[in-house]
Every structure is written in C-alpha cells, then in structure tokens.
Amino acid sequence: QVQLVESGGGSVQAGGSLRLSCAASRYTYSGSVISWFRQAPGKEREGVACIYRVSGSTYYADSVKGRFTISQDNAKNTVYLQMNSLKPEDTAMYYCAAGFYVPSGSWSSRNDYTSWGQGTQVTVSS
C-alpha cells in the first residue's frame, strides 16, 4: 500500500520557522516526484515546492522562493520542507503528494499526482 505521512505542522508567529516532513513508503519513494501543496480555507490547493527524486531538481512557487527549501533524505525515504520567514498568508493545510510522471512544467498541478498524505496544519499569527 502506498502511503505518505506528513508531520511537523504547528502554530508560529510571523517570522518564525517550521520544518515539515513527508515520510513515504518505499514503493512510492523510488523513482518518483514528491511535492508539497497547501490549501487555505476557501482557496484552491496550490503547489508550493517539488523535488525530482533522481535528478534532485527542485521547483518552488514564486510566493515561497527564498523562504522555503525542499530536500530529501534517501536513507529515511523522507522529504522535508523547511519554512523560514513565515507569513500569515502561509497559513494552510499542507499536503505532500507523490507522482511518477510529472512534467516539470506542470509540477504544481494536482492532476499528475497519484498519492496524497492526510495533511498537516500550519498556522502563522501576526
């Protein structure tokens, strides 16, 4: 069974930091693309960051460039999202997603991802 489990969410003040983790089952993790999405109440789910497992290439939404960093730990089958300089507008439920055939030009589209985690809440207060 394919599984993705997120952790690390919480409540912080603006300017603070959090590190989210996405632990993937071995099957999902090998040869896949792992991305972080977020969804705020009343808004569409949007792509935040993406990492291509084999090449290590990373992509970011413009709104988080320079503040968020996506990385992977192969030994732990885990992808991380380090979030610094958090803003109230970063408040959302954060999800990790895995896909095997995700064109780099459309990494932020939900359509190509086949596995999703249950989400972890991030709340940033001003």
Side-chain angles (χ1 to χ4, degrees), residues 5 7 10 14 29 46 49 68 85-86 91 94 96 102 112 114 116 121 123 126:
V5 180
S7 61
Y29 200 66
E46 63 174 351
F68 290 11
S85 303
L86 282 162
T91 295
Y94 283 70
C96 66
V102 181
D112 295 320
T114 55
W116 292 82
Q121 177 68 36
T123 303
S126 58

Side-chain angles (χ1 to χ4, degrees), residues 30-110:
S30 57
S32 67
V33 177
I34 304 284
S35 291
W36 286 96
F37 286 76
R38 67 186 181 186
Q39 188 167 19
K43 294 189 177 181
E44 293 287 320
R45 191 171 297 190
E46 63 174 351
V48 174
C50 168
I51 187 164
Y52 283 73
R53 282 273 296 106
V54 174
S55 69
S57 296
T58 58
Y59 298 87
Y60 296 92
D62 288 342
S63 59
V64 306
K65 280 181 182 176
R67 300 189 297 122
F68 290 11
T69 303
I70 190 170
S71 62
Q72 58 184 348
D73 184 330
N74 294 339
K76 296 182 179 180
N77 286 354
T78 299
V79 170
Y80 302 100
L81 185 68
Q82 179 66 44
M83 306 187 295
N84 298 328
S85 303
L86 282 162
K87 304 176 181 180
E89 51 263 44
D90 294 318
T91 295
M93 186 71 79
Y94 283 70
Y95 301 88
C96 66
F100 284 90
Y101 306 108
V102 181
S104 60
S106 61
W107 70 266
S108 61
S109 169
R110 298 177 56 178

